[in-house]
Amino acid sequence: LAVPPLALATVSAAWLGHDYAHGVDDFSRGMGLFAPLAIGISPSWWCDKHYKHHALTNQMGADPDLAMPPLFVWPPHPEDDSPFRASQHRWFPLGCATVFLAWRLRSLLHVAAGLRDDRRGAAVEAAALAAHWMVLLANVPLAAIVASIALAGLLCATILTTSHLGEELYGEFQRDWVLAQFCSTRGAVTRSAFTEWLWGGMQYHLEHHLFPSMPRSRYPRLRVVLQEFAADIGVPGGYRADDEVAMLARTWERLRAVARTPGGGPSAPRLRDGVRPT
């Protein structure tokens, strides 16, 4: 019985931690330790990954959110390929369920490395993570902890992947960053008040990418402005938004298509090529 409310609390806390990480005001800066205390994720590790995603959205080899082996969103290079790719559209939900578990583990490893290297702020993050785990383990059975983290990861990762994985992918640095955001990001039209809350502002994903420090409460009004802007300048495909269930189906179809496609050969983009502006 504890798993669903714990999972929903984790989802809500994850979106709040995300908002605070993007915030530029004194309150957001004061909430810098919210994520490690509430959900056990290192803000320095996550921000490094997430800010690269914002700057290089859907750039193959550079956007860390596209490097998710053995899950592939384009026919991979032979050295990156995996036999699990052939069934990735079937096990995709299981992969999503592991995201928060993996992020918590990577946070611990990142902070441990920071302590070893005497990195600034590592000791404070380590104390916050230790407090999180001590409180959680003292009050919640381990099985419920693991199950709730898995359910929260399933919900959040499914939401996040549907916004980008079905859209344009780039093989090189995009100098028109605004156009790239319009063509690589899709918003969601939610079906209920519950899913409107569950998406945590990510149903306005393009709005967030263009104005990441804007409070999410202003995104509905901004959507109208961006729709008009896309029509005025002729953005290919216009402002992209779709029914939330249709977005899940679109993502599943992309994963199935890549699963059934032969590998990309030696000329295919690598998972991690770094930033290669041209």
Side-chain angles (χ1 to χ4, degrees), residues 74-245:
W74 69 86
H77 188 281
E79 293 183 19
D80 295 328
D81 208 352
S82 166
F84 294 106
R85 177 168 64 90
S87 57
Q88 65 177 12
H89 51 299
R90 297 189 180 94
W91 57 256
F92 171 63
L94 178 61
C96 288
T98 67
V99 166
F100 274 3
L101 293 165
W103 285 11
R104 289 184 181 226
L105 176 59
R106 290 178 183 175
S107 293
L108 292 172
L109 294 175
H110 171 79
V111 169
L115 291 173
R116 181 194 64 216
D117 299 336
D118 198 25
R119 177 176 54 80
R120 181 180 179 182
V124 175
E125 281 193 20
L129 289 174
H132 166 81
W133 282 108
M134 285 191 293
V135 171
L136 198 60
L137 291 169
N139 292 279
V140 183
L142 181 59
I145 293 173
V146 173
S148 65
I149 294 174
L151 179 55
L154 172 64
L155 295 171
C156 282
T158 301
I159 285 171
L160 292 172
T161 53
T162 57
S163 296
H164 293 298
L165 297 194
E167 309 308 316
E168 274 86 335
L169 301 175
Y170 303 114
E172 60 186 13
F173 182 76
Q174 299 298 296
R175 295 196 177 277
D176 191 336
W177 182 82
V178 172
L179 180 61
Q181 298 304 314
F182 269 93
C183 295
S184 63
T185 309
R186 183 174 296 268
V189 179
T190 56
R191 293 188 175 192
S192 68
F194 173 71
T195 55
E196 180 74 10
W197 169 82
L198 186 66
W199 277 73
M202 293 299 99
Q203 63 270 49
Y204 304 101
H205 213 118
L206 175 62
E207 290 79 0
H208 169 64
H209 266 250
L210 294 175
F211 301 94
S213 61
M214 180 181 288
R216 70 171 89 158
S217 60
R218 298 182 182 177
Y219 287 159
R221 284 180 288 171
L222 178 58
R223 171 172 282 185
V224 177
V225 175
L226 294 182
Q227 288 170 335
E228 295 175 353
F229 176 79
D232 289 344
I233 70 168
V235 170
Y239 177 94
R240 304 181 185 195
D242 213 341
D243 172 76
E244 57 186 343
V245 176

